[in-house]
Amino acid sequence: MDFALSEEQKMFRAMFEDFSTNEIAPVAEALDHEERPPTEILEKAARQGFLGATLPEEHLGADLDFVSYALLMEALGRDCLSVAVSLGTHVSLVAMSILRHGSEAQKEAYLGMLAAGGGSGPGVRLGAFGLTEPDAGSDTSRLQTRAGADGEHYVIDGVKTWVANGEMAGLLLVFAEAPGGMTAFVVPVDTDGVTVGYREPTLGLRNVPFNTVYLEGCRVPAANRLGEEGEGREIADAAGQRMAVALGAAALGLVEDSLEVAARFATERVQFGGPIAEKQAIQNLVAESAIEAEALRYLVYHGAWRLDQAGGLGSQGSVVKAFAARVARQVTNRMVQVMGGYGYMEDYPLARKYRDARALGLIGGATELHLVRIAERVFEGWDVEIAP
Ligand SMILES: Cc1cc2nc3c(=O)[nH]c(=O)nc-3n(C[C@H](O)[C@H](O)[C@H](O)COP(=O)(O)OP(=O)(O)OC[C@H]3O[C@@H](n4cnc5c(N)ncnc54)[C@H](O)[C@@H]3O)c2cc1C
């Protein structure tokens, strides 16, 4: 088993870390307090080729393997989980779905545009993923959005909630019930009948615009259907596995940075005549977190490697995602404790990281549903029925 990164991957990692340190770290706190989408950062990311990270060069992409893309997500996650979530949604959920399941004409029409951050609307434009609905959260077998066939077109009606990148979107990947079952559609955001609505105020990830999107009599050519009718579930599941690893990598970056920030603080904060880093209670909080960070690193890199080798992960994606969400929550919680009252102050970065980390148990599917998938694997072959 060889866990070493190649020379090229190491070079990419250094470049991603430079980008995050120089372009994101200096403005991350201010952007969070202003609850503003990181438009300038994403424009620079587009110029670096990050918006087309895993797309082939013929579609203006950077042609990174998934391990290198995970290194990018890790670097972004260190300084701003919001930027990582926006990019992860754009690349793992939208661009790669079109790359894997799209026709040549769809790839030609959309991938170069996504890689360049283009699309209708001012400024940088991203891809957004419309699966969740007001009454179909974890249970996406109950979609109310309908795509009625109308000659060479479909007419889509429904409401999508929690659409990350909503108000920055140029292109939506919308899941709807068509005559042949759940189906995915590529919907440019300037299509008649699309309205990007209310932006949800959130506990964390305050730089990601989460919007409700309304589709009313939205008429799209049949050529905008991704794959065949009825293939929507397969497309959404594959996207979910890629997103699990991408979010796991971002969580890893968040965890590593939280640990570094709090450990440094512990060496500088003096109580009872010495730095609190010399207290075993503090060392234990740091050491437990270091163990979890290391375990998460291997799960994430191995998951990324498997995506490169096999293109899919099965329930292993749920293992990565559930563990990443738990570790991110536990470590940020412990690091707030290490920093005492300063950990709780918005003037210090731990408060933002703690709020952001909480989202990881929900975004990309709630942890409980990932546990059901893992249980299915454990009980496979036994005479028990495992269902959500
Ligand atoms: C920050 C954020 C970003 C998001 N971005 C997007 C996006 O870009 N696109 C998109 O389509 N969606 C997005 N989502 C939606 C996300 O996928 C859903 O929030 C998630 O799938 C859970 O759905 P729900 O919120 O409706 O909760 P519900 O499904 O109502 O669940 C509520 C609680 O019940 C639990 N539960 C439900 N069913 C079961 C069961 N069978 N067994 C045990 N427990 C169960 C859940 O785990 C959860 O704890 C985002 C969500 C968040 C919070």
Side-chain angles (χ1 to χ4, degrees):
M1 258 190 286
D2 182 4
F3 285 100
L5 296 176
S6 69
E7 287 309 311
E8 194 181 42
Q9 287 165 340
K10 285 184 198 161
M11 187 193 75
F12 284 140
R13 181 172 61 185
M15 184 175 110
F16 303 149
E17 287 176 355
D18 273 358
F19 179 86
S20 196
T21 305
N22 296 326
E23 306 295 347
I24 303 180
V27 294
E29 287 299 314
L31 282 173
D32 178 71
H33 292 155
E34 292 162 21
E35 303 194 17
R36 199 156 53 82
T39 319
E40 297 83 6
I41 294 172
L42 292 166
E43 278 164 4
K44 288 175 186 163
R47 286 199 288 278
Q48 293 284 329
F50 298 165
L51 298 192
T54 51
L55 299 179
E57 282 171 15
E58 61 185 291
H59 296 300
L60 308 181
D63 213 6
L64 298 184
D65 56 17
F66 213 91
V67 170
S68 301
Y69 168 56
L71 295 171
L72 171 61
M73 291 295 288
E74 182 183 346
L76 301 178
R78 288 182 73 91
D79 292 303
C80 183
L81 194 65
S82 284
V83 173
V85 164
S86 278
L87 190 105
T89 300
H90 172 86
V91 172
S92 318
L93 295 181
V94 181
M96 288 192 78
S97 293
I98 296 175
L99 179 68
R100 295 274 181 265
H101 306 277
S103 64
E104 285 311 311
Q106 287 169 337
K107 291 181 199 176
E108 197 58 44
Y110 300 119
L111 292 184
M113 185 188 92
L114 287 168
S120 50
V124 66
R125 294 279 123 189
L126 299 183
F129 191 78
L131 176 62
T132 307
E133 300 182 355
D135 295 321
S138 302
D139 187 2
T140 49
S141 68
R142 304 285 164 125
L143 295 187
Q144 295 296 308
T145 299
R146 296 283 178 264
D150 181 17
E152 285 303 295
H153 287 77
Y154 287 90
V155 179
I156 307 178
D157 288 282
V159 178
K160 295 293 175 181
T161 46
W162 284 107
V163 180
N165 297 339
E167 65 197 43
M168 288 193 286
L171 203 67
L172 305 165
L173 189 59
V174 171
F175 292 82
E177 281 298 325
M182 185 174 156
T183 304
F185 295 91
V186 179
V187 182
V189 85
D190 61 351
T191 308
D192 281 347
V194 175
T195 307
V196 178
Y198 184 63
R199 181 187 168 200
E200 311 284 345
T202 47
L203 174 68
L205 296 181
R206 291 181 177 170
N207 308 126
V208 186
F210 297 108
N211 300 80
T212 303
V213 173
Y214 302 89
L215 302 129
E216 288 171 291
C218 173
R219 205 172 144 80
V220 294
N224 285 32
R225 189 186 67 222
L226 197 63
E228 297 299 324
E229 279 191 13
E231 288 182 6
R233 168 68 50 208
E234 189 189 320
I235 292 171
D237 283 352
Q241 290 171 23
R242 292 189 296 270
M243 191 63 168
V245 176
L247 288 175
L252 175 61
L254 173 107
V255 161
E256 289 166 334
D257 192 63
S258 303
L259 194 51
E260 272 175 40
V261 167
R264 191 177 315 118
F265 177 92
T267 63
E268 292 163 358
R269 177 71 176 163
V270 173
Q271 289 293 285
F272 298 98
I276 57 169
E278 292 178 355
K279 307 291 174 202
Q280 196 164 12
I282 296 294
Q283 293 164 15
N284 286 350
L285 291 172
V286 169
E288 290 290 350
S289 301
I291 293 171
E292 291 172 358
E294 195 157 332
L296 178 58
R297 183 174 309 118
Y298 290 119
L299 268 185
V300 166
Y301 291 180
H302 182 249
W305 176 81
R306 271 187 59 179
L307 282 170
D308 278 329
Q309 303 305 309
L313 265 185
S315 61
Q316 189 63 14
S318 289
V319 172
V320 177
K321 175 66 192 357
F323 190 66
R326 190 212 299 169
V327 168
R329 196 179 63 239
Q330 286 180 174
V331 171
T332 52
N333 189 31
R334 287 191 200 112
M335 295 308 108
V336 166
Q337 197 65 20
V338 166
M339 292 181 65
Y342 296 100
Y344 198 68
M345 282 173 70
E346 286 288 347
D347 282 348
Y348 287 76
L350 242 303
R352 169 172 61 97
K353 291 174 188 293
Y354 175 75
R355 288 189 277 102
D356 287 352
R358 189 61 189 85
L360 291 165
L362 296 164
I363 187 169
T367 294
E368 290 75 6
L369 275 295
H370 286 290
L371 296 182
V372 173
R373 263 185 231 153
I374 297 165
E376 272 172 2
R377 185 172 79 184
V378 173
F379 286 109
E380 202 180 334
W382 297 76
D383 189 20
V384 282
E385 200 176 311
I386 309 292

